[in-house]
């Protein structure tokens, strides 16, 4: 179907172009006729200020009952731009050319398809012309009419009184206002009449928002008397159109009110004529909009085609203004024309005019952002960047109560009364889907860390112990915890400590597992004292400065350990020139041998090193590119996201199959016992005696265990409390509260008791907890095209965490499958975790900026507000602290690294304020205010936070 906008229609002759009134008289308007009384002409006053006519508040208060006072409540705005065109039947109609839900979506004239949502770019001239038309046009505020014919009648009468149109043109303008409206969705239906929708059929869509259609009034003219009623048989709406409109209604907020913009050129007018109308109440106008959204504002601009005015651009200008938050607020609150003009002037003050030259638009984005920021500052809505809005005193979870165990008592009294709702809220399909995803997200690190922990401790603690600990402690925490969204698991810092403590015990001939039992006893005492004196409030002093150093250190450890293990494999299995056939070589070069000192350890196997390298690299690259595939354009979104979410398990599965297919090459596998058994039954059992295996555990070590206990407590405290802070940010819309004191008590006490059974200590795993929260987050469905969804609610419940812990515990029965996993595959996962963790750290970005000229620096807040040399100085300070921690890690004092990490807090609080001013620290050391709901390309649940895995 072809159509032409009147001003640019080359097919129209001059007589046709200037005689649109004849076309209007022939146009069928029976779609507006119903059996209702004729609309009467209303008396209006001529404005003393010029051609502007408006309904004043005093008139409304005298005429309207008390329950019909003007509604000034702000609503979201849906804007539709319609232009006057001639269809293929040479009939005039209003054709939708663009719409605004939040951003502009233009309709391509050739294909009648919508383009992508984008920020509207307006010509400066069109804005000036718009301001001119508003200053000389008709303004009707708080109009009481509720039907399109009545509204149109009032608009036309006011335009005649204000001398914008002649009396003889009144009928033609009125008919133009009541022409049919067509939309791009009409073109999809090839039926001849399907685009004409009756009010009865439209009611089907209105029920979606619990709205009812009001009957339309009949078309009225300037003559008195009733108009003869005409009816038409309604044609059913096509299935495509219903589906399209249902989908569109989901994008529009339920409380939205519409703005209808009508622009076009007609030959019977001598000058441009404008009318701006704000209705007293939003009303549904049948067959005007594409969807049944109540209309609150109307804008009409008609004029001759010879006028030096671009009607299309002026229509885009007023549509963009109405979609702008500040302007449409002013439109709702305006009392007269001057308020509208003031709002236009404010919009112009904050607008940026791009020069007509070949300048790359990206180079000017900085100026646009600065103007927008100034605009927010003028409106008083910009807050200190990087800092959250403080909660009310009664809602502050880290506020000191001033009494023993006061924080713990407050956590219990706040959270436990909502226990029943924690079970009821789990009755949702989204919760069940989250269980499957989080199960793999919890099992993969348990297997990976368990395998590496078995290597570090020579089998004393391995995969079996870690799976059992993850399951049991997860069950207890999901049942008793104050914030059940937290996921309990093993983490990188605890792995580093376990390795350092095992090395210490081995060098000093102290039983490792017995020493852990006494550390557990001290942990229980330490956490009781901490909770009694409300020590959890100290987490407020842990800033981004410390978090990033911690994260970067653990990421480097993961990457270093991966390549260190790979080098060791190459040393144990060196590359050999082993050939078969007529060549004669020593058989000893092609056969493996076992080390006498390490009975059972296989060394000297051919091709083992190369296959291990392939398995490690393959696992890393498959997991990495499957994560990138999640953000690609292939396949439907749900399938693409599912593949990306399960990238790590898929990578492990593929590489295990590759290793299984290569039968003649040896690779070291996971050491997992059969059934419910410890990793090394010949070395230990499930119960560890506090006095040692021979009852001779040193007494001095019992007392000295308080030192490593303090270090373990620092690690658990920092990661668990910071995780709780991140999950409980107010932007996540959690309503049931949290309990820092209660959660810390449960995690540490259960971990301390677990040491009696030789199980590892666990903490709240940051990335898994945030992934769990994101999986349970419900986003708004009313999302404008081009806009991001916002958090509607989070399913705060206990069932998903409980089921995940149970499923992880049942995984112990698949020991036969776990024994098929090569350690090289787990090294690939560790490399993946280390690299991905680096992506989410601001310190990594600033390290890259050290090697980049300033003109190529990205437009980040800390880049704009901090001078380059000062920013590099801050990076050097962090690198110095990081280097000191690495030196401590590499020496015999590795056990003290948690204490060294803790020293970065006074460095941040005492030293940095002497080197940097407050504004610089706010930019460089501020937390992210917004939660991460969508991963950037190449990032996943292992990399979206500052804390390590």
């Amino acid at each position: 179907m072809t159509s032409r906008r009147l001003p640019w229609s080359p097919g129209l002759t001059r007589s046709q172009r200037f005689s649109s009134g004849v076309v209007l008289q022939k146009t069928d308007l029976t779609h507006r006729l119903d059996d209702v009384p004729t609309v009467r002409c209303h008396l209006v006053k001529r404005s003393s200020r010029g051609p502007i006519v408006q309904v004043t508040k005093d008139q409304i208060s005298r005429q309207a009952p008390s329950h019909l006072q003007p509604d000034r409540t702000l609503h979201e705005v849906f804007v539709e731009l319609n232009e006057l065109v001639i269809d293929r039947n040479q009939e005039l109609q209003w054709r939708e050319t663009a719409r605004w839900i939040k951003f502009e979506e233009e309709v391509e004239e050739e294909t009648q398809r919508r383009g992508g949502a984008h920020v509207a770019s307006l010509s400066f001239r069109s804005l000036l012309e718009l301001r001119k038309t508003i200053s000389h046009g008709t303004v009707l505020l708080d109009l009481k009419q509720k039907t399109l014919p009545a509204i149109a009648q009032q608009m036309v009468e006011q335009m005649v009184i204000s001398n914008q149109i002649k009396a003889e043109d009144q009928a033609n303008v009125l008919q133009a206002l009541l022409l049919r409206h067509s939309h791009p969705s009409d073109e999809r239906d090839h039926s001849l009449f399907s685009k004409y929708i009756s009010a009865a059929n439209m009611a089907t869509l209105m029920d979606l928002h619990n709205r009812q259609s009001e009957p339309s009034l009949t078309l009225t003219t300037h003559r008195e008397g009733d108009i003869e009623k005409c009816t038409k048989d309604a044609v059913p709406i096509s299935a495509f159109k219903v589906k399209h409109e249902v989908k569109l209604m989901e994008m529009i907020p339920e409380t939205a009110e519409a703005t209808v913009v009508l622009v076009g050129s007609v030959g019977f007018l001598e000058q441009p004529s404008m009318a701006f109308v704000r209705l007293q109440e939003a009303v549904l106008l049948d067959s005007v909009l594409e969807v049944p959204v109540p209309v609150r504002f109307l804008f009409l601009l008609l004029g001759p085609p010879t006028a030096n005015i671009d009607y299309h651009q002026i229509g885009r200008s007023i549509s963009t203004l109405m979609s702008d938050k500040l302007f449409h607020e002013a439109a709702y609150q305006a009392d007269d024309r001057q308020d509208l003009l003031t709002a236009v002037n404010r919009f112009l003050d904050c607008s940026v005019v791009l020069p007509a030259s070949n300048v790359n638009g990206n180079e000017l984005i900085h100026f646009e952002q600065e103007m927008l920021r100034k605009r927010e500052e003028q409106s008083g809505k910009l807050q200190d960047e990087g800092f959250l809005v403080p909660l009310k005193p009664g809602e502050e979870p880290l506020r000191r109560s001033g009494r023993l165990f006061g924080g713990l008592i407050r956590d219990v009294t706040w959270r436990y009364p909502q226990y029943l709702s924690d079970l009821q809220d789990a009755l949702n399909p989204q919760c069940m889907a989250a269980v499957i995803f989080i199960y793999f997200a919890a099992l993969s690190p348990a297997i990976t860390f368990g395998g590496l922990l078995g290597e570090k401790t020579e089998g004393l603690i391995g995969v079996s112990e870690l799976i059992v600990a993850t399951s049991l402690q997860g069950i207890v925490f999901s049942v008793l915890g104050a914030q059940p969204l937290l996921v309990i698991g093993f983490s990188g810092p605890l792995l580093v400590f376990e390795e350092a403590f095992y090395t210490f015990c081995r060098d000093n001939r102290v039983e490792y597992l017995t020493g852990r039992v006494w550390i557990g006893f001290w942990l229980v005492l330490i956490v009781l004292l901490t909770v009694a004196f409300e020590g959890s409030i100290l987490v407020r002093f842990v800033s981004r400065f410390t978090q990033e150093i911690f994260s970067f250190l653990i990421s480097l450890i993961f990457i270093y350990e991966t390549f260190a293990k790979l080098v060791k494999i190459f040393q144990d299995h060196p590359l050999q020139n082993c050939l078969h056939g007529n060549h004669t070589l020593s058989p000893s070069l092609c056969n493996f041998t076992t080390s006498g000192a390490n009975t059972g350890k296989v060394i000297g196997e051919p091709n083992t090193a190369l296959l291990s390298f392939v398995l490690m690299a393959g696992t890393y690259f498959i997991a990495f590119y499957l994560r990138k595939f999640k953000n690609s354009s292939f396949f439907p979104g749900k399938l693409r996201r599912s593949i990306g979410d399960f990238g790590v398990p898929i990578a492990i599965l593929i590489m295990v199959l590759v290793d299984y297919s290569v039968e003649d090459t040896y690779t070291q596998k996971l050491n997992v016992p059969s059934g419910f058994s410890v990793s090394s039954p010949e070395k230990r059992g499930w119960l560890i005696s506090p006095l040692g295996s021979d009852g001779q555990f040193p007494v001095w070590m019992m007392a000295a265990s308080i030192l490593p206990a303090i270090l373990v407590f620092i690690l658990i405290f920092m990661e668990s409390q910071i995780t709780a802070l991140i999950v409980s940010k107010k932007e996540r819309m959690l309503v049931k509260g949290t309990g820092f004191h209660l959660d810390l008590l449960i995690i540490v006490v259960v971990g301390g008791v677990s040491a009696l059974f030789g199980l590892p200590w666990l903490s709240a795993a940051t990335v898994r907890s945030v992934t769990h929260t994101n999986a349970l987050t419900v986003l708004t469905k009313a999302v404008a095209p081009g806009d991001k969804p916002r958090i509607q609610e989070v399913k705060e419940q206990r069932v998903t965490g409980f089921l995940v812990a149970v499923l992880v515990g049942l995984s112990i029965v698949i020991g036969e499958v776990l024994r098929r996993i090569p350690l090289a595959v787990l090294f690939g996962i560790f490399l993946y975790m280390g690299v991905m963790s680096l992506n989410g750290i601001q310190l990594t970005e600033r390290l890259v900026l050290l090697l980049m000229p300033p003109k190529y620096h990205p437009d980040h807040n800390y880049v704009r507000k901090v001078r380059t040399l000062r920013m590099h100085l801050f990076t050097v300070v962090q690198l110095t602290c990081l280097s000191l921690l690495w030196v401590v890690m590499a020496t015999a004092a590795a056990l003290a690294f948690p204490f060294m990490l803790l020293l970065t807090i006074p460095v941040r609080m005492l030293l940095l304020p002497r080197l940097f001013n407050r504004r610089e620290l706010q930019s460089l050391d501020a937390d992210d205010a917004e939660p991460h709901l969508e991963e950037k390309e190449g990032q996943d649940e292992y990399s979206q936070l500052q804390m390590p895995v």
Side-chain angles (χ1 to χ4, degrees), residues 110 895 905:
E110 294 79 7
L895 272 178
I905 297 178

Side-chain angles (χ1 to χ4, degrees), residues 48-268:
S48 61
R49 301 179 59 183
I52 298 291
V53 179
Q54 63 182 16
V55 181
T56 64
K57 292 188 295 183
D58 295 337
Q59 290 174 317
I60 294 174
S61 62
R62 290 194 299 266
Q63 298 173 6
S66 58
H67 65 281
L68 292 179
Q69 291 298 321
D71 181 15
R72 300 294 181 88
T73 305
L74 298 179
H75 295 268
E76 296 293 332
V77 176
F78 169 67
V79 185
E80 188 174 286
L81 172 61
N82 294 264
E83 298 188 41
L84 200 58
V85 299
I86 294 180
D87 64 8
R88 61 185 177 185
N89 296 324
Q90 297 300 308
E91 291 185 355
L92 284 173
Q93 65 175 235
W94 292 108
R95 172 68 54 82
E96 180 189 352
T97 58
R99 74 182 181 200
W100 284 255
I101 300 178
K102 181 175 182 181
F103 301 107
E104 180 182 19
E105 297 176 85
E106 289 186 301
V107 178
E108 300 294 338
E109 188 172 1
E110 294 79 7
T111 61
Q112 290 300 308
R113 295 179 59 182
R114 295 191 188 277
H118 60 276
V119 178
S121 57
L122 308 175
S123 65
F124 190 68
R125 179 179 178 182
S126 66
L127 290 170
L128 296 180
E129 291 288 350
L130 173 63
R131 184 173 63 178
K132 180 179 178 181
T133 57
I134 293 178
S135 63
H136 294 85
T138 297
V139 177
L140 293 171
L141 300 179
D142 299 326
L143 201 63
K144 295 186 295 182
Q145 279 69 16
K146 296 187 178 181
T147 61
L148 182 58
I151 296 170
Q153 180 74 28
Q154 189 77 342
M155 293 170 63
V156 172
E157 289 179 357
Q158 299 288 6
M159 295 171 74
V160 172
I161 294 175
S162 60
N163 295 325
Q164 291 195 87
I165 63 176
K166 297 180 180 179
E168 55 267 25
D169 296 328
Q170 182 176 358
N172 287 333
V173 175
L174 186 61
Q175 291 182 14
L177 282 170
L178 301 177
L179 289 171
R180 297 186 188 277
H181 291 252
S182 65
H183 308 278
S185 58
D186 301 335
E187 308 297 329
R188 299 292 187 89
D189 193 350
H190 300 287
S191 173
L192 183 60
F193 300 104
S194 61
K195 64 181 179 179
Y196 303 135
I197 303 172
S198 67
N201 287 330
M202 186 65 74
T204 303
L205 290 174
M206 296 175 188
D207 291 340
L208 292 175
H209 283 240
N210 296 323
R211 304 188 182 107
Q212 296 180 350
S213 174
E214 296 185 5
S216 299
L217 297 181
T218 58
L219 171 65
T220 62
T221 64
H222 59 288
R223 301 177 182 177
E224 295 183 357
D226 295 333
I227 295 180
E228 182 182 359
K229 173 185 175 183
C230 298
T231 59
K232 265 191 175 182
D233 293 333
V235 179
I237 306 177
S238 65
F240 168 81
K241 189 170 183 65
V242 173
K243 181 178 180 181
H244 169 78
E245 293 177 351
V246 169
K247 185 177 181 180
L248 180 56
M249 290 294 287
E250 292 178 351
M251 300 179 184
I252 303 174
E254 293 186 6
T255 60
E257 295 180 346
T259 298
V260 179
V261 179
L262 305 174
V263 297
S265 61
V266 290
F268 56 82

Side-chain angles (χ1 to χ4, degrees), residues 566-599:
L566 187 63
V567 169
K568 189 173 186 304
I569 292 177
F570 272 84
Q571 293 174 347
D572 292 340
H573 306 276
L575 300 180
Q576 300 175 2
N577 185 16
C578 185
L579 302 176
H580 298 279
N582 296 328
H583 301 279
T584 58
L585 292 173
S586 174
S588 61
L589 295 178
C590 301
N591 298 328
F592 71 87
T593 59
T594 59
S595 173
N598 298 293
T599 304

Side-chain angles (χ1 to χ4, degrees), residues 340-362:
L340 295 177
L341 293 176
T342 301
V344 174
N345 292 334
R346 288 177 180 173
F347 184 87
L348 289 174
D349 291 339
C350 298
S351 299
V352 178
V353 179
L354 301 181
S357 59
N358 296 325
V359 179
N360 187 355
N362 294 331

